Amino acid sequence: MANFQAPEVHWLSLAPILIVLGGAVLGILVEAFAPAKVRRPMVIGLSILATAGACVMLGLRWEPVLLTPTSLGEYIEDPLTVAAQSILVIIGFMAVLVMADRTSVGDGAFAGQPSDRPDSAAEELTERKGYQRSEMFPLTLFSLGGMMIFPAADNFVTLFVALEVMSLPLYIMAATARYRRQLSYESALKYFVLGAFSSGFMLMGSAFLFGFANSLRISALGPAIAQNTNMDWMVLIGVFCVMVGLLFKVGAAPFHAWTPDVYTGAPTPVTGFMAAAVKIAAFAAMLRFYTAVAVYLQWDLLAIFAGVAVLTIIVGTFAGLVQDNVKRMLAYSSIAHAGFILMGIIAIQKGGSGHVLFYTLGYGLATVGAFGVVALVRGRDADGNVLGEAPSLRKWAGIGRTNPWIAGSMLVFLLSFAGIPLTGGFIGKFVIFSDAIKGGLAWLAVVGLVASAITAFYYFRLVRVMFFAEPSEESVVVKSEGLSALAIVACALGTIALGVFPGPVLSLLEKIVILIP
């Protein structure tokens, strides 16, 4: 009888992901079996504990990984993985707080029963009984688990599975908005169809690269390119197709068309989570993939992706100027930021990976906080009844006078987006633009600087409306139940801290190395 040796499982390396996915599975069980009255608080508590527990475990893994980064086969645990996962669970923790909040009018961002047909008797019954499904929290954890695997994958199959685990819950969650349900359904359908299209590009690219390297390992591409110079066309097409799949996820032009519609139609807390966390995961995966092939193909790829960065910056900047909807304005802002971050990736400088992650951390905190504020600004009818969100710019008039802490927090986030000093956004842009100049892309840094000055116009247009216009009778800022307010304040303080005291975080992230087995 043959002797079979059990495989060695590195439980400590996988513990953060297992905690998050385990919390998701427990949340599903609670949703299925617990009494209706206790489901929501139990699932919220599980989600908060899972993200906090994963963050603690990642903190414990940081020093061992700095000393000995390891490859566990298809999963690489190196400083890039641990740093990206740490930022993801911090953003996930903040996003769960915003999602869990109910306002002073007793509602939240999510439909009581997302499966109810809009304006049907079933929906009226759900509203009357105050019934509220809570499966969006396990879905958030499942998506977060996929995001945590994404930057660690050293195998195209693992990368694709992580992509789907990350994306499928978001397709569902985009369709669960409490108000403007038809728009929410439309955004989910657009996201799903275009997401499937981008997944096809990634699969096609993976097939080309497998055919070229005869291996599904991302780290095997470099040696294969070095040894075989007769099939450059195959590897170039493969790399481009895989990058298209990743560029779609970050909303880079010309793969950005879904971003404004999906961000507008999805529940606002989901939009914040999607805009921040998906970008972090996709850019971290892009760092690993691009680094594996850039040494051999940088000059072939540089012009293409520099062009993509410029186009992304231009689209995000100039399309944002004409927006009269705060959520769409932030959507185009996210497109411009994707172009800025892409500059740091293609520059390939020492410490550049840490600078990219620093930028995504600052951007992520400001984004979750900004959409948390958007969720609290509501419309109001002639009888004084509170309606759904009021993203129209004119309805934000005067909230700096009526609700100074909300407007003050939004001001901090907008200053960070604009790259104003003493915010995390300023430090992020400074290090990214510096890397671009060191990498011989000074012209690209100039494009970024000019675009940053132009984007500041539409950020400060909102500032002017909030603080210098007369308060509008058509809107009201509802009070938070507490969790959303906590997240907004924490994000604002984090944004300021990254701008005033960036040294400790930057010095930690600059130690990042990418292990290529």
Side-chain angles (χ1 to χ4, degrees), residues 40 98-112 127 131-133 136-137 176-179 267-269 375-376 378 387-389 478 481:
R40 187 173 180 275
V98 177
M99 290 181 194
D101 192 56
R102 280 180 173 172
T103 65
S104 55
V105 294
D107 63 355
F110 301 97
E127 289 292 324
Y131 191 61
Q132 178 67 63
R133 303 287 298 182
M136 60 285 302
F137 297 100
T176 61
R178 188 180 195 92
Y179 301 99
T268 300
L376 297 179
R378 302 291 189 85
L387 308 173
E389 294 163 6
V478 294
E481 193 178 47

Side-chain angles (χ1 to χ4, degrees), residues 316-317 321 336 340 417-418 429 450-460:
T317 300
L321 288 174
F340 298 146
F417 290 144
K429 286 185 178 179
V450 173
S452 294
I454 297 172
T455 56
F457 171 79
Y458 58 75
Y459 298 132
F460 285 106

Side-chain angles (χ1 to χ4, degrees), residues 455-493:
T455 56
F457 171 79
Y458 58 75
Y459 298 132
F460 285 106
R461 183 176 59 174
L462 179 56
V463 173
R464 179 186 63 79
V465 170
M466 288 194 299
F467 289 97
F468 300 105
E470 290 297 322
S472 172
E473 295 296 327
E474 298 179 347
S475 61
V476 62
V477 178
V478 294
K479 290 184 179 179
S480 163
E481 193 178 47
L483 295 176
S484 187
L486 176 63
I488 292 169
V489 171
C491 288
L493 292 177

Side-chain angles (χ1 to χ4, degrees), residues 27 45 62 81 89 115 152 175 183 200 206 210 253-254 256 328 389 439 483 501:
W62 180 253
T81 295
V89 294
S115 59
L183 185 63
S206 302
F210 172 70
H256 69 287
R328 291 185 74 87
E389 294 163 6
L483 295 176
F501 307 108

Side-chain angles (χ1 to χ4, degrees), residues 154-175:
D154 188 35
N155 182 290
F156 287 112
V157 175
T158 307
L159 188 72
F160 179 74
V161 171
L163 173 71
E164 295 306 302
V165 173
M166 173 180 77
S167 302
L168 290 175
L170 293 175
Y171 299 153
I172 299 168
M173 293 166 67

